[in-house]
Structures are given as C-alpha cells and as structure tokens.
Amino acid sequence: MFTTLLIANRGEIACRVIRTAKRLGIRTVAVFSDADAQALHVEMADEAVHIGPAPVGESYLKGERIIAAAKRTGAEAIHPGYGFLSENPDFVAAVEAAGLIFVGPSASAIRAMGLKDAAKKLMHAAGVPVVPGYHGDEQNPDFLAGEAGKIGYPVLIKARAGGGGKGMRRVDDPAAFAAALEGARREGAASFGDPHCLIEKYVEKPRHIEIQVFGDCHGNAVHLFERDCSLQRRHQKVIEEAPAPGMTPEMRAAMGEAAVTAAKAIGYAGAGTIEFIVDASDGLRPDRFWFMEMNTRLQVEHPVTEAITGLDLVELQLRVAAGEALPFTQEDLAIHGHAFEARIYAEDAARGFLPATGTLTHLSFPKGEGVRIDTGVRAGDRITPHYDPMIAKLIVHGPDRPSALRLLRRALAGTHIAGSVTNVAFLGRLAAHEGFAAGDVDTGLIGRDQEALTANAPAPPEIVATAALAQLGHLEEPVPVKAGDDPWARLRGFRIWGTARQTARFEADEGGRRDVAVADRGGGRFAVDAGEEPLNLAVVAVAGDAVRLSFDGRIFGVTLAWEVEAVTVFANGAAHRFARWSASAHAEEGAGGDRIAAPMPGLVKLVLAKAGDAVEKGEALIVLEAMKMEHTLKSPRDGIVAEILVSPGDQVEDGALLLALQPESAAGTAGRGE
C-alpha cells in the first residue's frame, strides 16, 4: 500500500476519500483553486497545493499541475474522485507516465467506455443488451432527424461523451428535433469538448437501475448488487436507493451477469457502474433491460451500496490500485437492509431547479443511528457559480424499505440550511410521495408531479408570527439577572399606560411589503396580527437558536437562523425565510415585467432576438449557461424588444439586466406612428 495519496478533486468527494485514507494511515494531499483556499477538504488534508484560479479549466482540469503537485509532495498515487479528470484517459496515461498510480481503471478501459456510441457497439458484441437507436458517426442534422423518424418518437438525443444529464434532450415532436439537437450539441461541447450526439428510443415507463461492479488486476470481477436511480429531474439523479424496489432474484441475476460480462470485456479493474434503462411497464422482467453506459469511476451514490453491503468502496479502490486482489467472491456478498441517498443542492426547485449561490449562514444536519452525512462545506462557506452546487448527501439505512423511508423523511425534516435557496423541502415532499412510498417509480415521476412537488407552501400564521417576534428581538435567549443588575430589566414590554405595540415589516412573497403588528402583553405573551384573526402566542423557552412557543393549546418548537437582513424559521420540515423589507430595494418596483435579468451568474451563450423585434410571451430570447447547463430565458409578455444589453460570450452576475422590452404604452403606439 502506498503511503501518500493526492486527491485530484474538491468538495464532498475529496472529503470522503480523505476520511478513508486517514483511517488506513495514508497521508493525504489536497489541491485547491483560488475559490477553495479555505475549503473543508483543504483543512482536512495533511497538505494542500494551490493549482490555479477558480474556473475549472484553469485549475481542477489542469492535469499537468495536479501531477506536478503529486511529485512535489511525494504522493505515490492520485485518486480522481468523480467528475473533472476522473474519466479522462489522457490524464490516466500521464499519471502513469510520471511513475504514479492512478486509483481507477486503465486508460484503455476508460477509452472503451468513454464514448456512448462506441461503448454500445462493444457491449452489443459482448452479448450485453443495448437500447435501440442510432449510434453511428454520421452527424448531419437531416440524417439524424431521419434516423429519429425510423426509431419512432419520442426519442432521446444524447451527447456521446455526456453524463449527469448534460447534453440530453427528449424530443416528442419532429418539428422540435433540430432545435433540441443544436442545444444538446452546444451543451456537449461546453461540458465535454465533444458535440457528437447519438439518438435512442425513449422508453415510456423507464427505470434507471445500475449495477455496481468491481474488478482487480488479477482477473476477478464481481457485482455489488443494484441501485435504483429512477428519481430524476432533467436527467439528473435526486434520490437513489438500494436495493431496487420490486427487484426479483431472476432480474438481479440477469443484470448482475450482464454487468460483470461488460466489465470483463474490457479487463476492468477498480470501481465502476453499469447503467441500464429498464422498461417497467410490465414490472421488472429479465428481458426488459438495456445497457446505457458505463461510468468508469466511483459514483456519487456509492454510499447506498456501502450501506447494504457493509463495504468501504474507497478502501477497495485503494487496495485494488495497490495491486491487491479482491478479498471476496460473488458468493460471499449479501444484501443487508435498505438504504436511500438524497442529494441536497443549492437550487430553486420552484424556478425549474435553477442553481443558486450564497453564503451558508446556518448549516445543521441530523445525527443518529442509520444516518450518514457526506458533505464538503461548513457553516460560513460560500456556494459559488464555479462548481456543482451540491451541499451534501444525506444517506439513511434501515432494516427494510419502509423503515429506511421513514428515517429519510425524519432526517430531511431535521436538515436546516439558511443563506441559500435549497431543494430540501422538495426532497421532503418527494420522500412523502405516495407513488414513491409504494415503490412505483420511474424517471418521469418528478416531471409528472413537478408542480405539486416544487410549490412553495405559504408560511402558517403562527410561523409568520414567530418571524415577527424574532425580527423585533423578542426571541433572544434571556440573560440571567444577577445581583446588582437593574431589576427593571425583567419587565421588558411592560407599559403603565397600556400594551406596547410594534410592527415587523417583511418582503411579501408576491412583492411589496407585509406588515405584522405585535402587541407585547408582558411575561413572554404576545398578540400578533399574522392572519385573519390576531394570534396569541407565548414564549415557553429560548435556548440559543431553538425556541419553543405555545399557541392555540399546543406547544411547538422552531429553529431560527439569522442573516444580516433576514431570519429563517425551520418548523415541521419546512424552511420559511423572512427578509426584512427595504424601501430602497423597491425604488424601481413594477418594472420587472419589461425586463429579463440573469437568474444566476452565468455565461451568455445565445441571444435570439435584436432590438426592434416583436416577440410573444414565452418566446426564447436568451440562452444562459450556468454550471455547465443551459437555461433558456423567455419573454415575460408580448412586446417589442427595446434593447439588448449583452452579447454571446459575456459573463454576467446574478440579477444583471440582459434585455428590456418597450413599455407597453410605447409598444402600443409604435405601430400607429404616434
């Protein structure tokens, strides 16, 4: 076994690898960009080396800098994590040419599976079933449209070098094929440097089930059972579980055999995942699954496999890379219990899962038996536009699926994050979804019920009242009165001439100001105008950020998280953020319907209109790329474009004005020469 390991990654996965390496007594070296100088993975490692500016193309994708850092620090091996250079065969070859060990498969194995079209041809030749489609080299748009017609709509366009949902488009109508193909090509080129696409039949009730495989350098290969990753939005996984609900022994045996066959066909060594698309329209049947792709690295969702097998997959990676043989055979492996993983992101589910940024002012995760948190951030860290907006992975494990699902729901309800929009509430609703609870899952579940799953429920009146009390300073932890202190300090709120009355002012969800009147009746009792009728609340206890109040004959608890101009109230699994109202922020209120602003920091890829154009509501006007995904910004109404304020290639900040329409009064007179 080597003594020093460099981790060529950042965030959650870098921290994950460091933990196992330290347990094995291996010294660790981290690498970091300008944006990550104070990051958790840098703090955890024994040593860290700066490799460049924040953009990944100038830091984490600079293989020569990473290899130089390994040589400089005496590292004998490099673990790539996932993403970045983890599936780059040229990087693997360069690592080995430098006399270092790459913790992963060979460059030839990665090349064999790196392009989806070539991988499917290879798997078909090996006897592994593949999904019907066109996987050839011809890329003429008219030709590909013809192939799509032969396959039959709906079809799925996929960038051949893609992954993580990038470069993928579902097309239901032949008229939409050309635009979808162009979008997939742009995203493939931006994310992977390869615009080449393939076309596949879209399975109507698809499930995404993958098999974890492991091989060594001695010719051994096994599978570590399946993971169901069907809960996806925009082709990106949201909640994964193992084992797959409804899986039969016959189906598991058939998929496991196909996966091991695939691994052996390329002489695979290390951790890998064979991803299959499954037609679940008639249950899980051994003749209804097809090879999609192989991920020649550790998967984001590997912890659910660790939970049900009791294995540490990172430790296995390190041992196999050091030349050891797998310490078990297929017959030694068994499934124990059930596990879920929920991916917690800084993203706005109600706005189409737009990635978000922000400083994590409050970060608290649940603890207890059966709960595991993998994260790369701490309270006070900033989610930047430079990297994937994942905050953490929440993993739970129970003796069976119902108990594990109950634990998942409780753990999500106990996850408190403030300072950035997150998907925690969305995950909580998804975990409570009736179909998901029954195991009736497919990749379209979230899309079908997206409106209900992502809707922002209004805060109940008692939560609004709690926020008002917090803003006005009534929920601060009391300071014990000591001898010599002013005895009148105990009587805050007392007025000899009557009840003290104050007003808390918040930004209303629909815009404008919301006033909440609070009457202090003394002794921790308050009357609050937070709904149709005044509420009578009493403060029962305050301990730091944890507050207990009584209302309407019941006692309930909340947790508070403070920002400079806002307070977030966590209660009943929901987070309600109340921003203090600012008059200056509303100086230009009412102009939003004439403007398109950047919903996040990003790169302007396309401008689809010019000044003077007449546009319709919902018409695509600007394509913005953020975190390697494209986001189409559409016209808020019918109108005429007054001015374009950006050009393709511009880097813009969150909230930057991109395009303005003529005011409706001006647009109405423009055609009459007035």
Side-chain angles (χ1 to χ4, degrees):
M1 179 65 72
F2 30 82
T3 60
T4 302
L5 174 71
L6 182 141
I7 299 91
N9 217 297
R10 64 175 301 279
E12 170 270 322
I13 186 58
C15 296
R16 162 74 187 89
V17 174
I18 289 171
R19 282 194 297 272
T20 288
K22 285 192 170 185
R23 181 174 60 78
L24 297 176
I26 299 172
R27 180 173 168 270
T28 57
V29 178
V31 292
F32 64 94
S33 69
D34 289 347
D36 282 338
Q38 305 300 321
L40 181 59
H41 74 281
V42 174
E43 179 183 289
M44 290 178 62
D46 295 297
E47 187 175 353
V49 179
H50 176 253
I51 54 172
V56 296
E58 301 177 45
S59 53
Y60 294 105
L61 292 180
K62 289 290 187 181
E64 67 278 8
R65 295 183 190 174
I66 291 171
I67 293 171
K71 301 284 282 185
R72 172 181 167 188
T73 57
E76 304 135 287
I78 294 178
H79 193 300
Y82 52 71
F84 294 148
L85 295 169
S86 62
E87 294 180 280
N88 185 317
D90 294 334
F91 177 65
V92 177
V95 168
E96 294 174 346
L100 305 173
I101 297 171
F102 179 78
V103 182
S106 65
S108 61
I110 294 176
R111 286 194 177 96
M113 291 298 191
L115 298 178
K116 291 181 173 62
D117 51 354
K120 284 181 168 62
K121 293 175 184 176
L122 178 62
M123 292 300 97
H124 180 72
V128 178
V130 298
V131 67
Y134 176 73
H135 308 127
D137 294 327
E138 177 59 60
Q139 290 294 289
N140 180 279
D142 292 337
F143 174 82
L144 292 178
E147 291 299 308
K150 293 177 185 178
I151 296 166
Y153 286 87
V155 298
L156 192 64
I157 303 173
K158 301 172 71 173
R160 69 174 180 178
K166 298 179 178 68
M168 295 179 67
R169 299 289 191 279
R170 172 179 170 166
V171 187
D172 297 286
D173 184 349
F177 183 86
L181 175 63
E182 184 59 29
R185 283 177 163 171
R186 283 196 307 271
E187 217 162 73
S191 299
F192 313 104
D194 185 352
H196 192 114
C197 289
L198 52 89
I199 316 296
E200 292 182 347
K201 176 65 179 173
Y202 186 86
V203 180
E204 289 290 354
K205 189 174 174 57
R207 283 177 64 177
H208 180 133
I209 300 178
E210 59 190 33
I211 302 291
Q212 175 73 61
V213 294
F214 232 103
D216 61 25
C217 298
H218 305 276
N220 303 307
V222 299
H223 71 82
L224 306 181
F225 312 111
E226 79 278 359
R227 297 185 290 256
D228 195 307
C229 306
S230 299
L231 289 186
Q232 301 179 6
R233 47 95 176 132
R234 298 198 320 196
H235 304 294
Q236 291 184 306
K237 301 167 186 175
V238 177
I239 295 179
E240 303 97 348
E241 63 180 301
M247 179 62 71
T248 65
E250 295 77 17
M251 180 78 161
R252 178 175 292 125
M255 294 185 75
E257 180 180 356
V260 171
T261 297
K264 288 185 173 180
I266 57 172
Y268 197 82
T273 298
I274 310 295
E275 298 193 347
F276 294 100
I277 190 74
V278 177
D279 180 355
S281 58
D282 193 24
L284 297 184
R285 293 173 42 177
D287 61 343
R288 297 285 183 89
F289 70 91
W290 301 279
F291 172 87
M292 284 199 303
E293 62 183 333
M294 181 177 190
N295 289 307
T296 52
R297 53 171 168 77
L298 197 66
Q299 290 280 86
V300 176
E301 59 272 23
H302 76 274
V304 295
T305 296
E306 294 183 322
I308 66 165
T309 61
L311 299 170
D312 183 330
L313 299 195
V314 173
E315 178 179 350
L316 283 176
Q317 283 187 298
L318 297 176
R319 293 192 179 282
V320 166
E324 298 182 22
L326 289 174
F328 45 72
T329 64
Q330 192 68 59
E331 291 70 28
D332 297 323
L333 300 168
I335 295 174
H336 304 283
H338 202 97
F340 290 96
E341 175 184 287
R343 302 188 186 193
I344 299 173
Y345 281 98
E347 65 181 12
D348 193 338
R351 297 174 65 199
F353 300 101
L354 285 177
T357 58
T359 299
L360 301 174
T361 56
H362 182 92
L363 190 65
S364 176
F365 296 110
K367 299 178 181 178
E369 184 177 356
V371 178
R372 165 180 165 181
I373 301 294
D374 283 11
T375 185
V377 295
R378 302 148 297 188
D381 286 351
R382 178 166 177 76
I383 304 298
T384 75
H386 301 293
Y387 312 116
D388 184 90
M390 179 183 284
I391 295 173
K393 302 185 309 194
L394 188 157
I395 306 102
V396 298
H397 179 241
D400 51 41
R401 191 175 191 270
S403 61
L405 187 55
R406 288 193 297 270
L407 186 56
L408 175 64
R409 293 168 181 163
R410 289 199 302 271
L412 286 168
T415 298
H416 297 160
I417 304 171
S420 176
V421 179
T422 76
N423 67 339
V424 172
F426 160 72
L427 292 171
R429 295 188 192 103
L430 187 56
H433 188 280
E434 183 178 358
F436 179 43
D440 183 15
V441 297
D442 64 78
T443 59
L445 184 149
I446 291 175
R448 288 192 300 272
D449 294 338
Q450 184 167 327
E451 184 174 350
L453 290 169
T454 60
N456 287 326
E462 63 270 25
I463 300 302
V464 177
T466 300
L469 294 178
Q471 188 191 94
L472 296 173
H474 295 298
L475 298 183
E476 297 173 0
E477 189 169 10
V479 178
V481 178
K482 303 184 294 294
D485 286 348
D486 181 0
W488 297 101
R490 297 174 179 268
L491 300 178
R492 185 178 66 178
F494 173 78
R495 298 292 187 277
I496 195 169
W497 54 86
T499 302
R501 194 172 182 85
Q502 298 170 285
T503 299
R505 287 177 173 168
F506 301 119
E507 296 278 355
D509 291 339
E510 65 278 7
R513 188 178 81 189
R514 178 175 186 178
D515 290 351
V516 180
V518 176
D520 187 342
R521 294 180 171 174
R525 296 177 297 111
F526 303 89
V528 185
D529 292 333
E532 295 181 3
E533 299 291 335
L535 305 181
N536 294 308
L537 278 80
V539 180
V540 176
V542 180
D545 294 331
V547 179
R548 293 181 67 77
L549 305 103
S550 66
F551 160 71
D552 195 24
R554 66 184 178 91
I555 295 176
F556 66 97
V558 303
T559 299
L560 303 176
W562 300 93
E563 300 171 57
V564 175
E565 292 295 333
V567 62
T568 299
V569 182
F570 299 99
N572 300 319
H576 300 282
R577 185 178 184 272
F578 297 85
R580 188 186 302 273
W581 186 81
S582 169
S584 62
H586 290 266
E588 298 184 10
E589 192 172 305
D594 294 334
R595 302 177 177 187
I596 292 180
M600 73 207 83
L603 178 72
V604 177
K605 296 292 289 185
L606 290 175
V607 177
L608 303 173
K610 62 182 182 298
D613 283 356
V615 296
E616 297 179 353
K617 181 179 180 179
E619 182 177 339
L621 299 182
I622 292 178
V623 176
L624 189 69
E625 180 189 282
M627 299 175 184
K628 297 302 183 183
M629 296 290 284
E630 288 190 355
H631 307 274
T632 301
L633 308 182
K634 302 177 181 180
S635 179
R637 61 171 174 83
D638 294 350
I640 295 175
V641 177
E643 57 181 337
I644 306 290
L645 300 167
V646 292
S647 300
D650 287 352
Q651 189 74 39
V652 296
E653 294 300 317
D654 184 11
L657 186 59
L658 310 179
L659 177 149
L661 300 179
Q662 291 182 10
E664 291 192 80
S665 57
T669 61
R672 300 195 300 269
E674 299 179 10

